[in-house]
């Protein structure tokens, strides 16, 4: 009954069109002050202590790094390198888009940033090269979702904060699934391009490839700086985020010189705005999680699901269905911060590894980024290519189906996620 009241309040507020962050906080305040005797001081204390986590500092730093890279010409150089390597194959520019998104994902940690950085350059270029507008839109919109699976990942940071899981182990666990999904999306791109006879680019010489790699080396090397530093113990994931922000600033302003020093305040302001929005959501979601814990809802839900006799297979299937539906109406940060504290205890009781569970949740969030009506990647692609939301959604369908197949693989083959962190001794 308590759970029905809480979630009823939340959905009633959301139905009014209220932003999710405000709806979460208002639900907590209405319930606590209307139906309990919790003092207001406890709420204020939870607001501050909930967000006073060292790991959360990684989020604004990764956002800042992604913005410096987006404005600093790194994406252009990565696209040139990817095109030089695979442009001569069937659907070469589409394949270059997939691999450019994978490379940019490995330094940005954000799906929308990846779609903006790669899509704004490559989508118009693909149309000029003779590709149908729908093809380029489908490729970049879905491949951009790699931004939250290939580490570093802001969504993984939020899952780690919600469940007290190792961020470093999660980052390492995302590498192999991220590469497999990139290859799967590339396979769909190649097959459709071959079937419909889409254009191919002239084959680049090895000298041209070497030149393109040399130009992109500063951006690509950031991948090894961040991941190598975390694995070697040189710095924590939060320190790695700060390092990547400083490194990206130096590349954009002093190495590539595509970003003027006078433009830096504008980039800082954009990053601060996005960080403030995310941190506000996190604060209210932590408060909502406190309310659920106060009323013992996760424990009650865990006992109820176990009493139903759900084994790991059916439980994981149910989680996937719930998260895909939630992804249609909420953005990833809110879903992770609300659902993870509810579902995590049940997963642990059923013997699901926390790292495997985190990667599965992240893949679900990827699918949510490309499903209407709230999928942010769809809106970004729609704006770049001037297409309607329905047109973009239809264009993405072949790749979305591949992502659903991949979700099933990740869900029921834990070794795909756990092999690399296990080899590195991080489990």
């Amino acid at each position: 009954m308590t759970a029905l009241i809480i979630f009823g309040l939340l959905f009633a507020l959301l139905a009014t069109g209220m932003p999710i962050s405000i709806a979460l906080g208002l639900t907590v305040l209405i319930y606590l002050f209307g139906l309990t005797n919790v003092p207001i001081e406890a709420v204020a204390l939870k607001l501050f202590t909930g967000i006073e986590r060292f790991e959360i500092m990684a989020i604004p730093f990764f956002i800042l790094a992604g913005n410096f890279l987006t404005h600093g010409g790194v994406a252009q150089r990565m696209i040139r390198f990817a095109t030089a390597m695979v442009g001569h194959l069937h659907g070469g520019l589409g394949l270059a888009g997939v691999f450019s998104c994978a490379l940019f994902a490995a330094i940005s940690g954000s799906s929308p940033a990846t779609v903006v950085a790669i899509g704004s350059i490559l989508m118009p270029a693909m149309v000029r090269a003779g590709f149908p507008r729908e093809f380029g839109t489908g490729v970049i919109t879905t491949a951009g979702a790699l931004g939250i699976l290939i580490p570093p990942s802001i969504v993984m940071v939020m899952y780690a904060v919600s469940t007290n899981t190792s961020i470093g182990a999660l980052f390492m666990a995302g590498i192999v699934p991220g590469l497999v999904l990139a290859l799967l999306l590339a396979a769909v791109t190649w097959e459709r391009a071959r079937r419909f006879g889409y254009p191919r680019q002239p084959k680049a010489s090895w000298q041209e490839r070497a030149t393109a790699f040399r130009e992109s080396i500063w951006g690509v090397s950031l991948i090894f700086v961040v991941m190598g530093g975390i694995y070697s113990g040189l710095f924590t994931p939060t320190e790695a985020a700060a390092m990547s922000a400083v490194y990206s600033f130096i590349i954009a302003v002093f190495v590539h010189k595509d970003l003027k020093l006078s433009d830096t305040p504008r980039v800082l302001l954009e990053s601060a705005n996005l960080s403030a929005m995310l941190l506000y959501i996190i604060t209210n979601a932590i408060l909502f999680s406190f309310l659920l814990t106060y009323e013992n809802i996760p424990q009650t839900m865990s006992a109820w699901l176990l009493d139903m006799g759900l084994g790991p297979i059916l439980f994981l299937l149910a989680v996937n269905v719930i998260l895909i539906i939630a992804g249609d109406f909420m953005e990833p940060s809110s879903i992770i911060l609300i659902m993870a504290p509810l579902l995590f205890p049940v997963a642990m009781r059923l013997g699901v590894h926390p790292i495997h569970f985190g990667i599965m949740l992240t893949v679900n969030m990827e699918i949510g980024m490309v499903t209407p009506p709230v999928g942010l990647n769809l809106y970004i692609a729609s704006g770049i290519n001037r297409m309607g939301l329905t047109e973009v959604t239809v264009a993405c369908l072949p790749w979305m189906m591949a992502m659903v197949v991949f979700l099933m693989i990740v869900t029921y083959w834990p070794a795909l996620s756990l092999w690399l962190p296990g080899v590195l001794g991080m489990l």
Side-chain angles (χ1 to χ4, degrees), residues 87 89-93 126 129-132 193 197-201:
L89 301 174
H90 289 289
L93 281 180
M126 290 178 74
F131 287 88
Y198 294 154
R200 301 160 73 167
Q201 303 300 302

Side-chain angles (χ1 to χ4, degrees), residues 189-235:
T189 303
W190 180 87
E191 168 55 27
R192 290 184 67 79
R194 184 191 63 80
R195 188 193 314 165
F196 296 110
Y198 294 154
R200 301 160 73 167
Q201 303 300 302
K203 188 172 183 177
S205 66
W206 284 107
Q207 184 177 353
E208 289 172 326
R209 291 175 176 177
T211 302
F213 177 71
R214 191 167 58 250
E215 289 177 350
S216 67
I217 189 65
W218 286 101
V220 173
S221 61
L222 181 56
I223 302 169
F224 302 100
V225 170
V226 172
M227 303 313 296
I230 292 171
Y231 170 61
S232 65
L234 194 60
F235 36 69

Side-chain angles (χ1 to χ4, degrees), residues 145 148 324 327-328 361-372 375 400 402-408:
I148 58 173
I324 287 175
D328 291 339
L361 262 62
T362 303
V363 175
N364 273 288
M365 298 305 100
E366 277 192 300
I367 296 173
M369 296 297 289
V370 294
T371 52
M400 283 169 61
M403 293 173 80
V404 172
V405 170
F406 177 72
L407 173 61
M408 292 298 103

Side-chain angles (χ1 to χ4, degrees), residues 249-386:
F249 168 73
I250 293 170
I251 291 173
V253 176
F254 299 111
V255 178
H256 293 159
K257 298 180 181 177
D258 288 339
L259 182 70
K260 295 177 183 176
L261 198 58
S262 58
D263 291 331
T264 304
R266 176 173 56 84
V267 176
L268 290 170
L269 186 60
E270 286 177 13
S271 304
N273 284 336
L274 183 55
S275 299
M277 181 188 75
L278 280 176
L279 292 172
Y280 185 62
I281 293 172
I282 292 169
T283 303
N284 284 292
I286 288 172
L287 198 58
F288 187 76
S289 177
F290 160 72
L291 174 60
L292 296 180
T293 307
Y294 176 80
E295 293 293 349
N296 288 320
I297 290 172
Q299 295 87 336
T300 306
M301 184 179 174
S302 174
W304 177 65
L305 288 171
L306 291 172
D307 289 344
M308 285 175 63
L310 280 183
I313 293 174
L314 284 178
F315 169 72
L316 293 177
L317 180 63
V319 168
N320 284 333
V321 172
I322 291 168
L323 292 178
I324 287 175
I325 293 171
D328 291 339
F329 301 101
M330 297 165 66
E331 54 89 35
S333 307
S334 305
I335 297 172
I336 290 289
L337 291 165
I338 293 170
M339 295 293 188
L342 281 174
L343 299 171
F344 185 78
V346 188
M348 297 306 97
R349 291 276 298 274
L350 291 171
V352 180
H353 197 285
I355 299 297
H356 167 226
F357 193 62
I359 298 300
M360 191 191 88
L361 262 62
T362 303
V363 175
N364 273 288
M365 298 305 100
E366 277 192 300
I367 296 173
M369 296 297 289
V370 294
T371 52
V374 179
L376 190 53
N377 287 12
L378 298 177
Y379 287 96
I380 294 170
S382 173
I384 294 172
N385 261 356
R386 290 178 167 78

